[in-house]
Amino acid sequence: MSLTAFAQTTNSKIPKSYIAYHTADSIKVDGKDADASWNKVEWTDLFIDIEGVKKPTYNTQAKMLWDSTYFYILAKMEEPHVWADITEHDAIIFHNNDFEVFIDPTGDTHNYYEIEINAINTVWDLFVSKPYREDNVVLNDWMATGMKSAITIDGTLNNPKDTDKGWMLEIAIPWSVFKKAYFEENVPKDDFWRVNFSRVNWDYQLNDGAYGRKKDAEGNYLPEYNWVWSPQGVINMHEPEHWGYVYFSSKEAGVKDTFEIPNDEKIKWALYELYRAQKTHFEAHAAWITSIEKLSSSPIIVDGKTITPKLENHGFGWTISVMSPFSNKLLILKEDGKFIIK
């Protein structure tokens, strides 16, 4: 499968994919990888910096499993100085080193979920109606009700007198927290969701023997490091079209399955390139491009087939649409970035 010859910008990265296998075993959420099912599945690739260019200072990897109740995530983080001091739920957790989970069940880049957890298991969970590039609503009081999380530290917490090896985080997120209606059947058996993980890491300084974010000579905090599973191409986790693909296989952990990103998804990547071109033009000229010929100067070719998008202008904005030659479905991208399949 290939995606070639579309107007690819420097921030275009092929998303990662992972097969999350079903587990029939009971998973004890204790921050350890001792459960038999964890030992039957592979780690993700090592995380890369958010732009997909630099190798991070410390290694990070994750594993995933699922059953009829939970989506399980195991994260292993190399860290010589494990520290955390934020204890209030829904505080700004990324002001500590943390691990972050981003989940878009429908893959339309709207109505997605973010969970952040630091090394003392303080949680920030929130619902985001649209990416921040649009006029969005963020529900900070959304709760991942019933979520379980636990941490183990290979070393000593908040102790600058020794060198640690790192910390491990285990999470079980109930499918029920993603349901839009009581009777909705939303467990993605033999289906994929868009998911990404980010690890925020700070340079530190000691203040009276306590860890804190490092400041420069002017007293400003040094910028954080963002290390991710699937590269974003830009320093922004809130571009969900770049997130990875997690396929929830009905096969049991230990049995091999295969997954290929569908060609319709590759068409979607190309349409988001056009969306970004529209946004860039609007920021510069306060007007949208109204001709597909001016918007798309190169052909879009997916798996040997030429894709011809159609641009329609409306009083409220525009839509770009394509009839997929692979699924015969109509793929639509709106001016607010929402992706629709009909």
Side-chain angles (χ1 to χ4, degrees):
M1 301 294 187
S2 64
L3 175 65
T4 59
F6 70 92
Q8 191 168 3
T9 62
T10 55
N11 71 345
S12 296
K13 302 289 182 182
I14 303 301
K16 298 281 188 180
S17 62
Y18 184 91
I19 298 176
Y21 290 95
H22 183 267
T23 174
D25 300 328
S26 176
I27 299 294
K28 182 180 180 180
V29 179
D30 56 5
K32 302 176 182 178
D33 61 354
D35 295 289
S37 290
W38 284 130
N39 294 317
K40 295 177 183 178
V41 297
E42 301 293 328
W43 291 102
T44 63
D45 293 337
L46 288 171
F47 284 25
I48 189 69
D49 83 291
I50 193 168
E51 294 178 283
V53 178
K54 301 175 184 176
K55 182 181 183 299
T57 307
Y58 308 123
N59 290 340
T60 309
Q61 289 179 286
K63 290 183 178 184
M64 289 163 265
L65 290 165
W66 71 280
D67 62 21
S68 60
T69 306
Y70 295 105
F71 175 22
Y72 299 100
I73 300 165
L74 184 73
K76 179 174 64 175
M77 290 157 279
E78 183 182 64
E79 174 58 68
H81 298 278
V82 180
W83 66 276
D85 59 8
I86 297 175
T87 59
E88 183 181 355
H89 181 84
D90 280 349
I92 304 175
I93 301 301
F94 67 79
H95 286 172
N96 282 172
N97 297 340
D98 76 357
F99 187 83
E100 304 179 357
V101 180
F102 297 83
I103 298 176
D104 180 4
T106 61
D108 64 0
T109 77
H110 286 202
N111 301 318
Y112 59 88
Y113 305 84
E114 178 179 355
I115 298 169
E116 303 185 8
I117 304 178
N118 67 6
I120 52 176
N121 206 18
T122 306
V123 175
W124 184 13
D125 43 10
L126 60 158
F127 171 87
V128 185
S129 68
K130 301 180 183 180
Y132 291 93
R133 61 196 174 197
E134 302 293 341
D135 185 14
N136 70 351
V137 175
V138 178
L139 299 181
N140 199 52
D141 60 349
W142 173 78
M143 291 282 290
T145 304
M147 184 181 78
K148 297 185 286 187
S149 60
I151 287 164
T152 55
I153 297 171
D154 192 351
T156 53
L157 177 71
N158 291 331
N159 183 1
K161 296 180 180 180
D162 64 4
T163 300
D164 309 312
K165 291 185 178 180
W167 56 296
M168 182 173 288
L169 168 64
E170 190 175 20
I171 312 172
I173 309 173
W175 300 116
S176 58
V177 304
F178 306 115
K179 292 177 69 168
K180 300 182 292 296
Y182 182 82
F183 292 105
E184 181 187 12
E185 298 292 338
N186 71 328
V187 179
K189 178 181 177 181
D190 293 324
D191 200 357
F192 65 85
W193 282 8
R194 301 300 300 273
V195 175
N196 210 352
F197 305 119
S198 173
R199 176 185 174 184
V200 171
N201 202 267
W202 298 86
D203 289 323
Y204 73 91
Q205 65 185 32
L206 296 176
N207 304 306
D208 296 326
Y211 286 104
R213 291 180 289 161
K214 190 172 184 177
K215 298 180 178 179
D216 61 21
E218 286 72 44
N220 301 309
Y221 289 113
L222 296 179
E224 76 278 12
Y225 303 99
N226 297 276
W227 302 328
V228 305
W229 168 47
S230 190
Q232 293 288 109
V234 292
I235 305 176
N236 183 0
M237 284 304 297
H238 293 273
E239 292 194 0
E241 64 270 21
H242 295 306
W243 295 354
Y245 292 80
V246 176
Y247 178 74
F248 297 92
S249 172
S250 59
K251 293 185 177 181
E252 295 297 316
V255 179
K256 294 300 181 183
D257 202 353
T258 59
F259 169 70
E260 289 188 357
I261 298 172
N263 281 331
D264 279 6
E265 291 295 307
K266 298 174 185 180
I267 296 174
K268 182 193 293 187
W269 304 342
L271 296 187
Y272 274 103
E273 293 292 340
L274 303 183
Y275 164 83
R276 282 186 280 275
Q278 276 279 44
K279 299 287 281 189
T280 299
H281 186 273
F282 190 88
E283 290 171 2
H285 304 285
W288 300 114
I289 296 172
T290 57
S291 165
I292 193 65
E293 291 76 19
K294 293 181 179 179
L295 183 61
S296 178
S297 59
S298 301
I300 300 171
I301 302 174
V302 176
D303 202 24
K305 294 186 181 293
T306 299
I307 309 301
T308 304
K310 179 181 179 181
L311 174 63
E312 296 181 87
N313 300 285
H314 310 283
F316 56 82
W318 50 266
T319 60
I320 300 173
S321 61
V322 169
M323 184 63 70
S324 168
F326 306 106
S327 65
N328 292 319
K329 294 179 180 179
L330 184 62
L331 312 180
I332 303 170
L333 184 59
K334 296 176 59 179
E335 76 287 335
D336 67 352
K338 185 176 178 65
F339 192 82
I340 300 170
I341 302 174
K342 291 188 174 181

